[in-house]
Amino acid sequence: MPNQPYDSSGSIIQRKRGGPPGEGAEKGLITLPGESEREIEDLAGGTYLTTTVDTMVNWARGNSLWPLPFGTACCAIEFMSMVSSHYDIARFGAEVVRFSPRQADLMIVAGTIVDKMSPVLKKIYEQMPEPRYVIAMGACATSGGFYRAYHVVQGIDEIIPVDMWVPGCPPTPDGLMYSILKLKEKIQRGEIRR
Amino acid sequence: MSTLTKFSAIPYTGPAPTNREPYVAVDGPAADARGAAIAAALQHPGMSQELGQDMPSFIVGKEHIVDVLRALKESSEFAFTMPLDLFGVDYPKRESRESGVGSRSETGGLRTPTPDTPPPARVGSRSETTDLETPTPDTRHPGRFDVIYQLYSLKNNERIRLKVRVADGESVPTGTGVFKGLDWYEREVFDMYGVIFDDHPNLRRILTHEAFQGHALRKDYDPAQRWLLTENDVARIIPKIDPRFENVDTDYERVTLNLGPSHPATHGTLRIVVTLDGETIIGADQEIGYLHRCFEKMSETHTYQQVIPYTDRLNYCSAIINNVGYCMAVEKLLGITAPARAQHIRLMLCEFMRIADHLVCIGTNLVDMGALTNFWYLFQPREEIYGLIEACCGARLLPSYTRIGGLAVDVPPDFLAKSQRLVDMMPKFINDVEKLVDRNKIFLDRVVGVAPISAEDAINFGFTGPCLRACGVPYDVRKASPYLGYETYDFDVPIAEGGDTYARFLVRMEEMRQSLKILQQAIDRGLPEGPVIVDNPYVALPPKAKVYNEMESLIYHFKLIMHGIQPPVGETYFQVEGGNGELGFYLVSDGTKNPYRVRCRPPCFQIYSAFPEMIMGQTIPDAIAALGSLNIIAGELDH
């Protein structure tokens, strides 16, 4: 897929031209993620959009990520901040926090992973249904952080594949939110298949 | 340009610290006198006093330690009923020096006690051993490890330190028969140093994993040496069934259930394995160490100033309290005090952090019981507190705001106005949540009488903080040994009766109100004028403007960066009241820029070790509600 810049500010299907929605005004140009501008087709009295199944599915996936918080340490507290009232990730469609890996598609590894935890992390990752995505939140999950120590995994990519790394110790809730939006873009562009 | 006024214009003329001088405890003479009184009253042959320490301190022969512990606990005069801490310190040089000069033959592999030589001059102590009784040979036995017990007497509000010296491969009799709270501590010393405790009921590794080899806190252990754990190595935990339920025959099937370490109700990395009979818990065991980030080893490889960010990550819900506790411990070792302005700001931020800590605890505890509204609601004032901290130093959750000798930067000009706004808005949130749940039948059914612990047991386990006060014991470090000027503030220590989940909830709610009361007084007094960090170039960096313009400042800057803070040789212990109880730091300095040993006494550790006992005979939902009310923070629990 071509790597195109995509404006994530509004709805995924953006009405570029044409009048307000309603009868007789459906003609216009739209842009789907990963595609160039195209015209809405008018067929058999209704308004249709032709695209590939993949594009549609990716669009839907990106808009409803169900995160599994693998929260171990301080970052989990900032994750809680992001989910709760002040920052409110519900505005971006990722508020359905699941604690069962079987019901989630995005694992947010929030906090230090130590050697004792690594088999658990691997097992839980393997329990997630595909496609699954992983965000390594914070310095510890990314690289072990400043714990260059005898019991700390030096970055979770030793154990599982990672899609997004978020810097910070801990990252601010807006930083984590930004990574979720970036991941959404990546999914909708169809870059990640796992 | 306020930073320019941080240091006086005249060159520093105070005493220059030298790392060759030993640490002199301010309260040393008083501690020595008290120690002599204790020794005279107990008349125990196994104890020999160590002088010049910050609390009465004794060296005890290892075969006497259980007797001494029991005598101190059962003595009606002293009543050292609370085991505060037990940890090890490794002095490998002491052993080799001793074996080098001894009359022992070079080829001999066995080390024999040398009764005639006095105890070796050891790192971190200037004390001479005074013999009040005729010491048995073993009290003078040189060994590589110090196993240090710290006990507290609620009756007399005093502490005592007992040291047992053991050589590599030697064992110490277990003290679990005297204090239940020593169980996990002994496992920790075994894990970290390899000291074996004879007759310990369950001596296995506690913080590191099953495939780990060696003992991490020994000085010869490489800090970065990891051992990989695969799934095949993970040991199965089968909880022992409580004798009360062993022969009870019910119609239900017995099931073993594993909760955690990744479980929504455990708030972090706790793992509990329970055996259920129907719905009743008849056996429980825990595994911790899923967040063992090697705080103590990391501290030994960093300078005193660099340890501060690590302390943030102990109890990450109230990070500034940890900063303050650590910095004040180092300041005690250095013999300095932070300026009045810094102390005032520290006190205010500590109280804000205590409120934030309790807000998280109550909020998440209520989520576990299905009251999600309170969680959303309570996070709002908490975010406001973080906003204030962010305004002070730029970081939210883990600010690392304090420095040894004061604070990193001054607070913004509108600090008091912002604090006043917070103090004004906070009662509404607390009262609303109380109204929502306090007469709610569902809530009361879930918490009243759930997971109780008696005051006697709580003390025996070494509980401190809100969980101890919920049993009716009014112990609070802020009252018992005030710091930061807490003695000048008017506040009460809330206690509750029963020691159940409801009592813990009530104590936390009231503590937030008391914190607000302290904060209001602090705001009314106003911030003292002056610098926020001590005017001592051996501790605090000179301001940049002076570094670029004055030769002396440049030299001080260079010296401090290259050689770090070098406290005098010695050891000390300092305690503050953390969100969960007494947070203590025990430091050993050998005069170099890195701490020789930093021991953190995490309040969660002992509280959590009592958890199986508390939930025995209860149900899983009760256990979840109780766990939330204990506020176990994994970063602190696992160091």
Side-chain angles (χ1 to χ4, degrees), chain B residues 11 25 147 163 175 201 271 372 455 468 475 571:
Chain B
V147 178
K163 292 182 184 174
R271 180 176 172 205
L372 194 59
L468 178 66
Y475 173 62
E571 57 197 290

Side-chain angles (χ1 to χ4, degrees), chain B residues 293-364:
Chain B
R293 300 192 276 195
C294 331
F295 165 71
E296 292 171 358
K297 192 76 175 177
M298 286 292 98
S299 305
E300 291 171 15
T301 58
H302 288 72
T303 65
Y304 283 91
Q305 208 73 271
Q306 285 171 338
V307 175
I308 296 173
Y310 286 99
T311 63
D312 267 322
R313 287 150 184 83
L314 289 169
N315 182 348
Y316 34 75
C317 289
S318 51
I320 285 187
I321 303 183
N322 307 336
N323 291 167
V324 169
Y326 170 75
C327 285
M328 291 190 75
V330 182
E331 284 161 16
K332 185 177 174 188
L333 201 57
L334 286 163
I336 57 172
T337 34
R341 186 178 175 88
Q343 296 216 16
H344 201 86
I345 297 166
R346 279 180 180 183
L347 179 135
M348 286 182 67
L349 291 180
C350 276
E351 290 310 310
F352 273 126
M353 277 279 133
R354 192 180 319 283
I355 295 173
D357 190 288
H358 288 352
L359 287 175
V360 177
C361 171
I362 290 173
T364 50

